[in-house]
Structures are given as C-alpha cells and as structure tokens.
Amino acid sequence: MSIPPRILAIAGSDSSGGAGIQADIKTVTMLGGYAMTAITAITAQNTRGVQAVEVLSADLVGAQIDSCLEDIGADAIKIGMLGSPAIARAVTERLDSFDGAVVFDPVMVATSGSVLADEDTIAAFSQLMARATLTTPNVPELAALTGLPCDSPDQIAGAATRLASDYGCAVLAKGGHAESTRVIDRLVHADGSFASFDDPRIDTRHTHGTGCTLSSAIATLLGHGQSLEHAVRLGRRFVREALQKAPGFGAGHGPLGHQAVRGD
C-alpha cells in the first residue's frame, strides 16, 4: 500500500459542504491524499449565500497548523479563506519553516457574491504570494491584486505575468468568470514562461466550491510528486468531472459531485 501525500488545508468551514474546508477534504480524499485542516472561520452558508461568519483567533489557527506539522507533517499546503490580517500573518510565519508545495487561493468573494476578505486582509496576501508555489486567482481577484484591467484575454495574461514577476511565484489565472463560450486558464511562471488550458464552458449553475476544489486538487497532485503543469492539468480535469456530476442540490449555486469522481 502506498503512503498517501499529507495535505494541510487552511481555510474556512462551509456549513453546506460545497466549498471551503469541506470541499478540500472531499477533493484530497478522492485524489488519494490524507487531509488535515486548520479552520480559519466558521460560516453559515448554503447555495444561495453566506448568512453568517465568525472568524477564529489567529492564535487558534496557528495552533491547528502547529499541531499538524509538528506531528504528522505535510507534503503540501493549500490556503483558502483567511478571515483576518492576523491570521494571514500567522500562516505566513509558519510557512517560513515549511519546505513543501504551497497553493494559495486568494479567496475574496464567494460564488454567491458574499465578501469573504476585507481590504486589510487582501493587503496581507502579498507575503503569502511571495512564499507560494502557485497562486490561483480568478479574474476579479487578479484585477484586485494587480490593479490592472482584466477585461480581455491579453489583459488577463498581462496581469498574471505581472503578478508572477512581482512575487516570484507561479500564477494560474482562472478564466471561469470571463465572458466566453470557452474557459481558458493561463499558468504563468515567475520567469514569464506559460502554458494555457482551454476547454468548452460547462453550462451549469452548480459551481459552488470550484476554486476551493481546484486549488486542493493541485496541492494534492503536487504532494503526489506531479509537476506543476501536470498537476494543473489533472486538477482541472477533476473539477470538470465534478461539475458534470453535480448532484443538483440547492436552489442557488449548487455543490459539485466530488464523490462521483472516485476511480475515474
């Protein structure tokens, strides 16, 4: 029996199970990893929106990370919703002594449109991007992080290149929010080299947790020893299959069908 890669997910809890820590655990497990968690915030949410958020203390988040890393260890870390600048700093401090892959999903707004990061927390993202192996912004997040327009494929490519250059990390600019019949994601390395991934758009309202799922999938695949480009390719495939197998739950943006991708 092979030993599963140890993946630590640092993110908020989604009571409806579609995004956040719950999506992370499902994704890591389906891809053959061992999932550990450091919960940053507890949310009351469903497919229609976020009804309440309670952010945990930075000390408690840090203690969760320490408990995992000091005993079991980790091969890769996925970072999602942080909740406060203090939590962002606590996470950054602990990455100083971590030598595995780090995938940072700079969560700002939920699929439903609810704001999940204030301006001070977003400002603290810079230190995390400087440490990350990969940062995975969607188009609105990319625009917010760079201050550049992202209204066309060329503008998105330029902003991703700027972000990768400024922080010395690879950037996966996700094209799901762009107005197009195809979804084009662009992986840009710090040296300016890039790869593009292009697939037909899947017409569905069941998209809750796509960003969380993709970043966790890539982290798990990196933990398995895949190259970054191949981890992105396989991670995108996992998300697409989960989208196609969504169970149809909820009246709004429904969850993906993580459980149905096992063995595919």
Side-chain angles (χ1 to χ4, degrees):
M1 179 183 295
S2 62
I3 299 174
R6 304 157 297 173
I7 312 300
L8 173 60
I10 304 172
S13 170
D14 171 6
S15 58
S16 70
I21 284 291
Q22 286 82 350
D24 297 333
I25 294 172
K26 293 172 188 177
T27 301
V28 173
T29 302
M30 292 302 100
L31 288 171
Y34 177 77
M36 299 171 287
T37 64
I39 297 174
T40 60
I42 307 236
T43 72
Q45 65 175 291
N46 53 35
T47 66
R48 293 177 291 185
V50 178
Q51 290 77 47
V53 177
E54 185 163 331
V55 177
L56 302 185
S57 72
D59 287 344
L60 181 55
V61 175
Q64 293 176 78
I65 297 170
D66 293 341
S67 292
C68 294
L69 296 183
E70 290 172 2
D71 180 25
I72 294 176
D75 298 296
I77 291 176
K78 171 264 168 76
I79 303 169
M81 176 188 175
L82 291 168
S84 75
I87 291 175
R89 289 191 293 271
V91 173
T92 301
E93 290 170 3
R94 284 156 177 82
L95 294 181
D96 286 343
S97 57
F98 180 70
D99 60 2
V102 176
V103 178
F104 176 41
D105 182 18
V107 176
M108 299 179 190
V109 179
T111 300
S112 62
S114 301
V115 176
L116 297 177
D118 59 23
E119 291 184 5
D120 290 338
T121 302
I122 294 170
F125 285 178
S126 58
Q127 291 179 313
L128 287 168
M129 290 188 289
R131 171 59 186 84
T133 306
L134 176 70
T135 299
T136 62
N138 59 33
V139 171
E141 291 163 349
L142 183 61
L145 290 170
T146 61
L148 297 174
C150 294
D151 299 321
S152 70
D154 286 345
Q155 289 178 338
I156 292 170
T161 301
R162 169 76 67 82
L163 199 66
S165 175
D166 285 350
Y167 294 101
C169 67
V171 172
L172 179 64
K174 300 177 295 189
H177 285 73
E179 296 294 332
S180 171
T181 58
R182 302 189 69 84
V183 175
I184 302 173
D185 297 341
R186 189 178 182 93
L187 175 64
V188 181
H189 298 276
D191 63 4
S193 60
F194 68 91
S196 293
F197 305 88
D198 182 348
D199 286 292
R201 184 177 298 276
I202 297 172
D203 184 16
T204 178
R205 64 179 174 87
H206 299 290
T207 58
H208 187 51
T210 49
C212 306
T213 299
L214 178 60
S215 54
S216 289
I218 295 170
T220 306
L221 291 159
L222 290 172
H224 275 296
Q226 297 288 347
S227 68
L228 180 56
E229 186 170 327
H230 198 48
V232 170
R233 181 177 293 107
L234 294 178
R236 291 178 79 257
R237 183 183 302 169
F238 181 88
V239 172
R240 290 183 63 81
E241 291 184 10
L243 281 166
Q244 292 168 331
K245 296 176 180 178
F249 297 152
H253 297 284
L256 310 187
H258 299 86
Q259 79 293 333
V261 188
R262 182 195 292 272
D264 287 9

